Amino acid sequence: MDLDLIVKGGTVLDGTGAPGRTADVGIKDGRIVEVGAIGASATTTIDADGALVTPGFVDIHTHYDGQASWDSQLAPSALHGVTTVVMSNCGVGFAPVHPGDHDRLIELMEGVEDIPGAALHEGLAWDWESFPDYLDAIERRPHDIDVAAQVPHGPVRLYVMGERGANREPATPEEIAEMGRIAAEAVRAGALGFTTSRTLNHRTSKGEPTPTLTAAREELVGIATAVGATGQGVLQLITDFPDFKTEFETLRQMARASGRPLSVSLTQVHGNTEHWRTILDAITAANEEGLTMRAQVAARGIGILLGLQASINPLMRAPSYRPFATLAVAEQAHLLADPELKRTILAEYGGSGPVKRRPMLDALDKLFVLGDPPDYEPDPADSVEAMAARAGRDAADLLYDLLLADEGRALLYMPVFNYADGNLDAVGEMLEHPYTIPGLGDGGAHVGTICDGSFPTTMIAHWGRDRRRGPTFEMPWLVKRQARDTAHAVGLDDRGLLQPGYKADLNVIDPDRLGMRAPRMAFDLPAGGKRLVQPGTGYVHTIVSGQPVYADGVPTGALPGRLVRGAQTDGAQGQNQ
Ligand SMILES: [Zn+2]
């Protein structure tokens, strides 16, 4: 048989967690047909000698709902070996929607996920009303990598309840039934699941809590039951667990009533540093009771990036700085170097001032230089405050200089979750736990403050090779976690393994160069909107459905990525069809 593509002689980490072995991977018609010593000829051969060959990574927690409708390239995820993204997490998205409610959904997405409203206004075509219409719109645009959607509770609630839904009023039994009907219809049309948000950290751009924040248990269980009746789909949510026992019981009842897998975001909260263990214990008990429940966990701290170009800039507190904020960054850096201006701004920054002090901007002991390549597990002894103390300088004075570095493009990093201990030991424990799944990268969102779409690279490079401040993991196991386990968690059983019959999504990785550069601000969203983009390194080839889509970070122009509709059966079954 003539093959389309052979990836020859690499060290294959096949996604099962088995140790790497030297083998060729043969591909035909978008599927893997053979792994081993292949004698057949192929149209194209990629020499993978000295490289790692892994399944493409599956990122189950992204927010490309807007971007996927106007952009064929799903960067930054696609630059990090990701070949399938699952979007519409945390109850936010753009369908279903009444024609008069477009602005409301933009405010929700702009506030919750920090995606510029102007970009959404210009970028979204709104050629849909129902969720199935939205899936059709996404499907019309070819992409570099595969994309899957979920049906988000926020839009569903607004669609059914209007103003009352936005105001978080309780749903009537009829409204719950209608929301359930819409969610089930979406899942039948190809949504991978239903998602919701119950966190005060999520607000609309007008500062309002999300419509779903206080949705009653009857509403959540009602919708989950309707989704469960389809026999497909997963449930995803984020919650602050305000009253742990009551809230967890709601999760338990959602999972029980639906019979579907449920995942909930989990981080180490800095004000309550051991609470994540309590949540994991409850999740373990739920699994022992026969429910399928997972905590979605991060590959590193969830951190905010601060800088002159970022959405959060500590100098904004000083009134004398603000006229400069709109200037081009290099010009800012040049003008702000003036010693007199620096003294004025720092006096305002340090004083009580008219602007409310925000702890995030004052915790210089929790703020680090990100560096390039970035260091996501910095030593507390290298905080801005500690550096200043060593140098005998005022910490704010040092902060000012650091913000001006690299012609004003420098970024400072403040891990706000998962870093209470000043290291990633808690993250390691979470990643290793049997009832967790890697997620939370939020690719496509928080574009001016966070750039965590690179989590998959951190998984493999930091945890498999680079970590110096604690234990590491075996690379084959990490690949399994980021490819097979994530795919399986959302019902995509046709991918994540390098075995005959599976979808030919794979990475050819230079193990020495695998890593990433610091995020940079790009101004390429619709309406000139800015977003942080972070290149991966060492991804020599990323291949989707047998077609190379990126070579060393450069797009090949091929767009084999498709909308994935619904759960997929085991790839090995596909082989025998
Ligand atoms: Zn999210």
Side-chain angles (χ1 to χ4, degrees), residues 33-397:
V33 292
E34 202 178 341
V35 181
I38 299 180
S41 60
T43 313
T44 308
T45 298
I46 287 175
D47 177 10
D49 188 23
L52 299 175
V53 182
T54 75
F57 302 143
V58 176
D59 188 337
I60 62 170
H61 195 119
T62 76
H63 295 279
Y64 288 108
D65 302 74
Q67 189 177 332
S69 80
W70 69 66
D71 192 348
S72 286
Q73 289 178 351
L74 296 172
S77 292
L79 306 175
H80 291 273
V82 173
T83 51
T84 304
V85 289
V86 181
M87 57 188 192
S88 344
N89 284 279
C90 304
V92 290
F94 298 111
V97 63
H98 291 297
D101 277 346
H102 295 163
D103 288 356
R104 222 202 282 269
L105 290 191
I106 287 177
E107 282 161 20
L108 183 60
M109 187 61 96
E110 181 176 23
V112 171
E113 304 293 351
D114 185 27
I115 298 172
L120 295 171
H121 276 288
E122 184 171 305
L124 291 167
W126 294 114
D127 48 350
W128 60 81
E129 174 163 343
S130 70
F131 194 85
D133 292 346
Y134 172 73
L135 289 182
D136 292 344
I138 296 299
E139 193 165 51
R140 280 194 291 275
R141 174 177 285 281
H143 292 94
D144 46 5
I145 61 176
D146 279 359
V147 54
Q150 303 171 91
V151 56
H153 192 187
V156 172
R157 197 168 208 271
L158 292 174
Y159 191 79
V160 172
M161 297 176 64
E163 195 65 30
R164 293 179 44 256
N167 294 336
R168 298 176 304 289
E169 290 181 30
T172 64
E174 293 73 29
E175 286 166 338
I176 294 173
E178 180 60 5
M179 284 189 264
R181 190 193 65 74
I182 288 172
E185 173 192 69
V187 167
R188 286 199 192 90
L192 282 193
F194 168 79
T195 73
T196 192
S197 162
R198 300 165 70 71
T199 175
L200 275 167
N201 290 326
H202 285 173
R203 290 175 185 273
T204 73
S205 58
K206 290 188 170 160
E208 292 286 321
T210 61
T212 58
L213 175 72
T214 52
R217 182 182 290 171
E218 301 78 66
E219 180 176 336
L220 293 170
V221 174
I223 298 170
T225 305
V227 168
T230 67
Q232 325 163 44
V234 298
L235 308 170
Q236 180 272 339
L237 78 160
I238 176 167
T239 169
D240 298 334
F241 287 109
D243 170 347
F244 178 72
K245 280 215 168 84
T246 311
E247 186 74 344
F248 197 84
E249 181 56 22
T250 299
L251 267 55
R252 226 184 56 81
Q253 290 192 24
M254 287 172 75
R256 163 128 348 255
S258 65
R260 303 309 306 164
L262 178 147
S263 73
V264 59
S265 300
L266 181 74
T267 56
Q268 180 192 41
V269 178
H270 288 195
N272 194 355
T273 56
E274 297 298 311
H275 190 51
W276 61 274
R277 295 181 193 278
T278 309
I279 300 170
L280 275 183
D281 287 348
I283 288 175
T284 301
N287 280 279
E288 283 166 357
E289 180 193 328
L291 305 177
T292 303
M293 212 187 270
R294 297 286 182 271
Q296 266 192 42
V297 299
R300 60 182 191 235
I302 294 183
I304 292 191
L305 298 169
L306 300 87
L308 297 184
Q309 288 181 299
S311 294
I312 298 177
N313 169 0
L315 300 186
M316 286 302 285
R317 201 164 76 201
S320 299
Y321 165 73
R322 279 178 231 151
F324 297 90
T326 51
L327 301 179
V329 69
E331 198 181 351
Q332 274 195 56
H334 176 69
L335 295 171
L336 292 171
D338 177 66
E340 190 57 38
L341 183 59
K342 178 180 177 182
R343 260 193 299 279
T344 308
I345 290 175
L346 282 179
E348 292 170 2
Y349 172 86
S352 54
V355 180
K356 215 171 95 205
R357 293 178 76 88
R358 291 206 275 169
M360 190 188 295
L361 306 187
D362 292 319
L364 301 187
D365 59 328
K366 307 262 185 324
L367 186 64
F368 302 90
V369 174
L370 182 66
D372 187 11
D375 179 3
Y376 289 106
E377 194 171 8
D379 191 324
D382 293 327
S383 73
V384 171
E385 190 171 287
M387 280 168 67
R390 265 202 304 279
R393 291 179 65 180
D394 177 62
D397 187 87

